[in-house]
Amino acid sequence: MKAKRTAVIALLLLGLVAGLPSCDQDTSTSQPVQSSRQPAPSPPTPPAQPQGPPPFDAPWPPPAKGGGEVALSDNLLARNYYVIMDSSGSMNEVRCSGNRTKSEAAKTALAQFARITPKDANMGLAVFDAYGIAERVPLGLENRDKFIAAVNATAPGNGTPLHDALLLGYRRLEETARRQAGYGEYHLVVITDGQAYPQNQDPTPVVAYILRQSPVVIHTIGFCIGTDHSLNQPGRTVYRAADNPRELQQGLEEVLAESPDFDLAAFK
């Protein structure tokens, strides 16, 4: 009896040992172990930076079409003042000018401007009025009497094609720059009493083009319109508001005063 019990216990122990896994047996499951660590997030894309006005980095002056040679000027360092005169229909109004029309006040101021501009500086004139838009006096010397006569001959009428007028003036300065081999000063002087009209005459695109392509300085005197004007672009253009004929004259004098060797007192 005792031997039987011993045999049964031995069999039970062998069964238990057989059911235990061996050290070489793979006890892992088929499911991959998930890591508790999350991947680092990608850095955010920085926002696009606003672009400022394009710097003047184009060749100045740009080569002429056709690549022909250009006769050089006798004075490569000459200053150049090309005037754009607004003689649109609104310039016939009597406002900000006492008992005179704005056109009459502008004619007086421009005649004085012509008289005090240094004789060794080139002057030119483009006008938009009842007769349309056109150059009335080419850039040159010894043309002050012609300049004054052309100003006095303007007749208010039609719209305010500022885009086309500025582009015309820029092209004339560009031509002169070729004759001066790019040296000298280049000023585009605009007198206007209103916003561009019709709508496609907004001067903003041509202003950006001029600033990108050249060292031309754009001066605008807003006559009887305050400072809210498309040509008033701080840091890009020079704008002066004139609310009466005297301020209009002062604005033109300041254009000349920016030249380092100009003495306004010598002309008074």
Side-chain angles (χ1 to χ4, degrees), residues 81-154:
Y81 299 95
Y82 198 90
V83 177
I84 304 293
M85 181 182 179
D86 175 350
S87 190
S88 56
S90 59
M91 287 291 283
N92 209 29
E93 298 173 355
V94 178
R95 191 159 59 92
C96 293
S97 303
N99 59 355
R100 298 187 298 165
T101 65
K102 288 184 285 184
S103 174
E104 292 169 339
K107 290 177 180 180
T108 299
L110 281 172
Q112 177 64 6
F113 178 69
R115 294 186 187 101
I116 67 176
T117 299
K119 294 182 178 180
D120 61 352
N122 294 312
M123 287 192 71
L125 174 70
V127 174
F128 49 87
D129 64 356
Y131 304 112
I133 175 174
E135 179 177 81
R136 305 293 167 86
V137 181
L139 271 166
L141 302 171
E142 300 180 0
N143 59 1
R144 306 321 191 232
D145 291 341
K146 291 181 180 179
F147 184 99
I148 295 171
V151 165
N152 289 333
T154 58

Side-chain angles (χ1 to χ4, degrees), residues 154-203:
T154 58
N158 291 325
T160 311
L162 289 174
H163 177 282
D164 290 353
L166 264 70
L167 189 56
L168 186 158
Y170 168 73
R171 293 302 186 197
R172 297 298 184 265
L173 289 170
E174 190 181 68
E175 293 167 2
T176 299
R178 294 191 186 101
R179 294 193 293 272
Q180 293 184 199
Y183 298 105
E185 295 180 17
Y186 303 88
H187 301 270
L188 194 54
V189 184
V190 184
I191 293 180
T192 184
D193 76 327
Q195 297 287 355
Y197 183 82
Q199 187 175 1
N200 65 357
Q201 288 297 316
D202 178 8

